[in-house]
Amino acid sequence: MLHPSIVPFETLQQLCRPGENPRRATVEAWAKREGILYRYDGKGGIFTTIEAVNVALGVAAANDDRAAYEPDII
């Protein structure tokens, strides 16, 4: 069983091209273009984490204290 924060290749395929079954090269190119960090899964695909997807989208984690403070207050 995968850790809940892991986004497997099959999910990335659906995010990349919903309703299709894109090849790994297509999913990799999409992930690179979107700025999503990923690793190879050893089964002919790639995987990433929810956190990596959020970073690429510009969404800070709710418990990320660094996002709550302006740099000039330090």
Side-chain angles (χ1 to χ4, degrees):
M1 176 178 249
L2 292 175
H3 190 277
S5 69
I6 298 293
V7 181
F9 181 64
E10 295 77 16
T11 302
L12 292 173
Q13 284 179 301
Q14 290 304 305
L15 290 171
C16 173
R17 293 204 175 156
E20 297 181 24
N21 193 20
R23 297 176 312 139
R24 183 179 82 184
T26 303
V27 178
E28 279 187 76
W30 167 79
K32 283 181 187 177
R33 192 171 52 251
E34 296 300 321
I36 300 170
L37 298 177
Y38 60 88
R39 298 278 187 224
Y40 296 96
D41 65 11
K43 299 183 299 182
I46 62 173
F47 71 94
T48 191
T49 63
I50 297 281
E51 292 83 8
V53 173
N54 285 343
V55 167
L57 292 173
V59 179
N63 61 355
D64 188 353
D65 291 338
R66 293 172 296 176
Y69 298 101
E70 295 294 324
D72 60 338
I73 67 167
I74 296 180

